[in-house]
Amino acid sequence: MELQYHIKCKEGDVFPYVIVPGDPDRVHLIGSFMEDVKKNASNREYTTISGYYRGVGISVTSTGIGAPSTSIAIEELARIGAKTLIRVGSTGALNENIKCGDLVINTASVRYDGATKDYVNPFYPAVASYDVTLALIEACEKLQYKYHVGIGASKDTFYGGQERPSFKNYHQSFMDNLIDDLENANVLNLEMEASTVFTLSSLFGLRSGAILAVFGNRKTQEFKVKGEEEAIKATLESVKILSDWDKIKEITNKKYLYPSLL
């Protein structure tokens, strides 16, 4: 397999379990909790490392901000052997009971992004894999982190598209009421990449999940950079859990995970 044009990795460079943060700097923070870490490549917004967590081989690739760059990362990772993709990052909560520093595990995402519409019609759902979601929940319970589980929403822009003031207070009426409408629909949070990870993973036959640290609450206007390390530790622990479950499936010759199998 040839070197992938954007991420500059080839087949054999990455493990089947890949963590996909947005921020390249977060890649190195994740690596600080791993062992035998090596840098695979760095190009544009894409930085990739590989190493081990509790004996499980894991790769980490940054996706950059938003759906277009994320779609490129998922495409190229899939071509060189990625099988399970877990987004870890930050988010804004839409429910006043979710505090800064809490973690949100998204089961699905409202597809406000544009990139996934180039792949499949807008009615196709952006849904996380149930076993990856379950492993993230198990990890949070084991580590005793406060977490919330539910649907999120992914937008392509950070300012006008998320009902924040744009430059010179540029405004259109369709920008109004997004936060209230999503909260009324019981959507927990807003971010920019999960819908792409979920949708492309489903289309390509991969597993996916997402866990996000709440940095801000759009209802209470609270903002604190908290929970990043907890989200990372929960992600790494979830991969170890998934690896153990995958071995059980292999031993029992089962395709799907179900409670009594454990």
Side-chain angles (χ1 to χ4, degrees):
M1 177 66 71
E2 65 183 15
L3 196 71
Q4 297 300 300
Y5 182 76
H6 297 90
I7 64 174
K8 300 300 182 186
C9 293
K10 62 184 183 303
E11 191 171 10
D13 286 343
V14 300
F15 289 107
Y17 301 101
V18 184
I19 299 171
V20 284
D23 185 354
D25 287 342
R26 193 166 283 142
V27 171
H28 302 295
L29 181 57
I30 296 169
S32 70
F33 297 101
M34 298 165 61
E35 297 177 345
D36 298 327
V37 175
K38 69 173 184 178
K39 183 175 180 179
N40 298 103
S42 184
N43 182 53
R44 301 188 184 188
E45 60 265 70
Y46 306 109
T47 295
T48 300
I49 64 171
S50 295
Y52 294 85
Y53 175 79
R54 297 181 58 198
V56 180
I58 300 173
S59 295
V60 186
T61 298
S62 57
T63 64
I65 298 175
S69 61
T70 299
S71 70
I72 291 171
I74 303 307
E75 277 269 11
E76 296 189 1
L77 286 167
R79 295 177 187 193
I80 59 172
K83 302 297 183 185
T84 300
L85 300 155
I86 304 179
R87 164 157 161 68
V88 60
S90 59
T91 192
L94 306 179
N95 183 310
E96 63 183 11
N97 295 318
I98 301 176
K99 306 302 181 184
C100 290
D102 289 359
L103 305 180
V104 173
I105 298 169
N106 282 145
T107 56
S109 184
V110 182
R111 285 174 54 201
Y112 284 119
D113 74 88
T116 61
K117 295 179 180 66
D118 282 351
Y119 285 86
V120 69
N121 72 65
F123 299 105
Y124 188 90
V127 184
S129 303
Y130 77 95
D131 49 352
V132 179
T133 300
L134 188 61
L136 288 165
I137 293 171
E138 180 79 14
C140 287
E141 286 288 342
K142 180 177 181 179
L143 296 170
Q144 298 184 335
Y145 293 156
K146 185 175 181 182
Y147 67 96
H148 310 265
V149 180
I151 297 171
S154 299
K155 295 285 288 186
D156 267 344
T157 58
F158 184 81
Y159 292 100
Q162 294 194 36
E163 212 173 334
R164 292 185 176 96
S166 288
F167 180 59
K168 293 185 177 180
N169 291 316
Y170 172 78
H171 180 76
Q172 293 282 302
S173 59
F174 67 80
M175 298 173 179
D176 296 335
N177 304 314
L178 172 73
I179 304 301
D180 288 341
D181 287 349
L182 288 175
E183 184 192 22
N184 289 337
N186 203 28
V187 174
L188 300 186
N189 61 296
L190 262 175
E191 50 80 65
M192 299 179 70
E193 292 85 29
S195 64
T196 305
V197 176
F198 294 165
T199 302
L200 267 61
S201 293
S202 293
L203 293 174
F204 298 160
L206 311 176
R207 297 190 301 188
S208 65
I211 184 167
L212 305 154
V214 176
F215 281 6
N217 187 298
R218 299 300 305 279
K219 300 297 292 186
T220 65
Q221 302 306 312
E222 179 186 19
F223 182 83
K224 295 179 182 176
V225 178
K226 296 175 60 179
E228 181 179 23
E229 288 194 5
E230 287 82 358
I232 289 170
K233 290 177 181 177
T235 304
L236 289 167
E237 188 62 31
S238 75
V239 175
K240 168 60 176 170
I241 292 166
L242 275 172
S243 175
D244 291 342
W245 291 350
D246 288 343
K247 290 174 183 175
I248 292 172
K249 289 192 297 180
E250 184 177 357
I251 291 170
T252 57
N253 197 29
K254 298 293 184 181
K255 184 176 181 180
Y256 301 106
L257 180 79
Y258 51 91
S260 62
L261 191 65
L262 304 178

